[in-house]
Amino acid sequence: MVRTSPTEVSGYRNDGVGTAVALVNAVTAGGDSSSETLGALLTSYNFKVDAPLTGEETEALRRWAELLRPVFAETGQEQAIEVLNTVMGAVPMHPHVSDHGLGPHLHYAPPGAGLIDRVRANTAVGLAFVICEHGAGRLGVCLDTGCERVYADVSRGPRRRYCSKTCLNRATVAAFRARQAAAST
Ligand SMILES: [Zn+2]
Ligand SMILES: [Zn+2]
């Protein structure tokens, strides 16, 4: 699993972005959205998962991923912001500084919030930071034909259009072959 910025310990916003991408891909892009996989996914992004996810929690995560997907899929900045603000408006937030062995960092969900609310708050705020700092154009759906995966590009380089190097390479080869075929007919 690719983390956006594994080095920034206190940057909960980056964990939120990575979690949002991984969750949306697991649920809406033909990934594995079983409760075991989603639980492992959250653990890998440093969420404290105390017990195996219940069916209800798994369903809530899937619904949340479906709600987040349009934030990536919307091509207009205004529309992406509107979608994000709408879904974010339904998430209980109570920002506070916490230090549980990681150094002081911001938590966005209310103290004592359950896992699902923590995931909602973190992922929504993460995406909000990407839009505010980089623009909604940095959130997208992979351009490769047949790939439904989303990405968040917070790099400084030119804007990314593909979810992974694999998809970029495949698309480059396909475009090359198409040009060759066009030239030979
Ligand atoms: Zn924390
Ligand atoms: Zn892709």
Side-chain angles (χ1 to χ4, degrees):
M1 203 162 288
V2 180
R3 307 279 306 268
T4 37
S5 177
T7 47
E8 196 183 344
V9 175
S10 65
Y12 244 86
R13 63 195 201 194
N14 280 351
D15 284 339
V17 176
T19 310
V21 169
L23 198 58
V24 170
N25 284 337
V27 174
T28 72
D32 174 4
S33 65
S34 66
S35 59
E36 292 78 15
T37 302
L38 294 185
L41 184 158
L42 294 180
T43 304
S44 80
Y45 281 94
N46 290 329
F47 283 91
K48 203 166 160 288
V49 183
D50 293 325
L53 297 185
T54 65
E56 210 172 304
E57 286 172 324
T58 307
E59 261 318 301
L61 285 172
R62 290 181 186 147
R63 273 199 307 277
W64 181 244
E66 302 279 358
L67 288 174
L68 287 186
R69 185 174 178 90
V71 181
F72 294 88
E74 283 291 354
T75 46
Q77 169 124 315
E78 254 177 64
Q79 289 86 335
I81 290 172
E82 200 182 312
V83 171
L84 180 59
N85 278 340
T86 304
V87 297
M88 194 155 49
V91 179
M93 302 256 195
H94 183 155
H96 60 284
V97 176
S98 183
D99 181 352
H100 43 95
L102 297 171
H105 58 280
L106 261 175
H107 280 186
Y108 301 106
L115 176 64
I116 303 303
D117 277 339
R118 281 184 280 133
V119 172
R120 284 188 187 124
N122 239 38
T123 50
V125 171
L127 296 182
F129 271 116
V130 174
I131 291 179
C132 294
E133 291 177 7
H134 304 275
R138 292 288 177 141
L139 302 172
V141 179
C142 183
L143 210 60
D144 193 26
T145 323
C147 182
E148 296 288 310
R149 293 169 64 82
V150 302
Y151 60 83
D153 175 17
V154 293
S155 66
R156 286 184 193 191
R159 204 179 129 183
R160 235 169 80 180
R161 305 276 182 178
Y162 296 90
C163 73
S164 60
K165 278 228 159 61
T166 313
C167 278
L168 171 63
N169 292 341
R170 190 164 44 220
T172 308
V173 170
F176 175 73
R177 290 209 178 117
R179 275 196 305 276
Q180 269 190 327
S184 67
T185 48

